[in-house]
Amino acid sequence: MVEQRVAGLPIEHIVGYADFCGLRILLDPGVFVPRRRTEHLVAEALQLTHPGSLVVDLCCGSGALGVAVHAGQPDIALYAADLDPVAVACARRNVEPLGGHVTQGNLYAALPPALRGRINVLLSNVPYVPTNEIPFLPAEARLHEPRTTLDGGTDGLEIVRQVAAGAFTWLAPGGTMLTETTEAQAPIAAALLTESGLTPRITTSEELYATAVIGTKQ
């Protein structure tokens, strides 16, 4: 294990789990490691989650966000989806024991059609690193996490655009989409949510150095 760590493998991949929101999230090699700053996104989601809510963790990776929301509000219907089969297998280990459902596919195409227009809380912690900034990431991320979990396109917001474009259709009335961005990207992301018919707001956590962009379907 020490040799693996010296070689640069993320410690979460070595020990097989990550600590996130006080929970132990099972983690497999090649799966995105949930960041502590993303706990801010979970905290915001929990303020919007109520008994009976339908919660979706889109681009779920290990399923950490959905699991953390479930820990704070167990009386929910939880769905998670990802394009990567390795991530889906990992997410099933975390989500299915809670009674949740995990599916594989590209964004909304992965979700059961019956969820259309019924989602109360849509968590979408999608890649938002601009392509030309990938070489400057720490080696742990750059070398040991799939590029698809990091690369957000030219301005870092390409996947956010795709999720925002479909959010209005998939959200229930009063439902909310939440995504994480940098502070500089947040106004642009908020404008994307407005264009999609959602009412946006931006929240930050100085402690976690985190920014969330939140859009509600009125």
Side-chain angles (χ1 to χ4, degrees):
M1 293 173 71
V2 171
E3 289 173 352
Q4 288 180 307
R5 184 63 181 144
V6 170
L9 198 69
I11 192 167
E12 294 86 356
H13 287 166
I14 297 170
V15 300
Y17 68 88
D19 289 318
F20 184 73
C21 291
L23 304 169
R24 179 171 288 194
I25 305 297
L26 300 177
L27 207 65
D28 297 322
V31 177
F32 183 80
V33 177
R35 309 313 201 237
R36 184 166 180 263
R37 63 174 174 269
T38 308
E39 293 181 2
H40 174 61
L41 205 63
V42 171
E44 292 290 342
L46 280 170
Q47 294 184 42
L48 303 163
T49 305
H50 309 287
S53 290
L54 197 162
V55 177
V56 171
D57 184 357
L58 200 61
C59 297
C60 67
S62 64
L65 275 71
V67 170
V69 170
H70 181 275
Q73 177 53 265
D75 186 15
I76 61 172
L78 176 60
Y79 289 80
D82 202 285
L83 180 62
D84 183 1
V86 176
V88 167
C90 181
R92 284 180 174 145
R93 297 171 62 206
N94 290 304
V95 173
E96 289 184 348
L98 306 176
H101 310 272
V102 182
T103 52
Q104 182 181 345
N106 186 27
L107 300 179
Y108 297 109
L111 300 179
L115 301 189
R116 188 185 299 268
R118 295 179 49 220
I119 299 173
N120 302 114
V121 177
L122 176 63
L123 287 156
S124 51
N125 186 29
V126 302
Y128 59 89
V129 180
T131 303
N132 62 3
E133 295 183 17
I134 297 289
F136 304 105
L137 291 175
E140 289 183 353
R142 191 177 68 251
L143 301 179
H144 297 287
E145 292 178 318
R147 188 181 179 98
T148 53
T149 67
L150 305 170
D151 193 341
T154 303
D155 65 352
L157 295 174
E158 183 56 39
I159 313 301
V160 174
R161 285 186 178 86
Q162 295 178 42
V163 176
F168 191 90
T169 299
W170 285 85
L171 289 173
T176 304
M177 168 188 161
L178 304 95
T179 194
E180 182 177 285
T181 68
T182 65
E183 187 175 0
Q185 291 170 330
I188 304 171
L192 293 173
L193 297 186
T194 299
E195 291 172 10
S196 300
L198 306 181
T199 301
R201 59 188 175 92
I202 299 169
T203 68
T204 60
S205 168
E206 293 185 6
E207 177 188 358
L208 298 175
Y209 194 62
T211 300
V213 182
I214 303 167
T216 300
K217 179 178 177 178
Q218 302 296 339

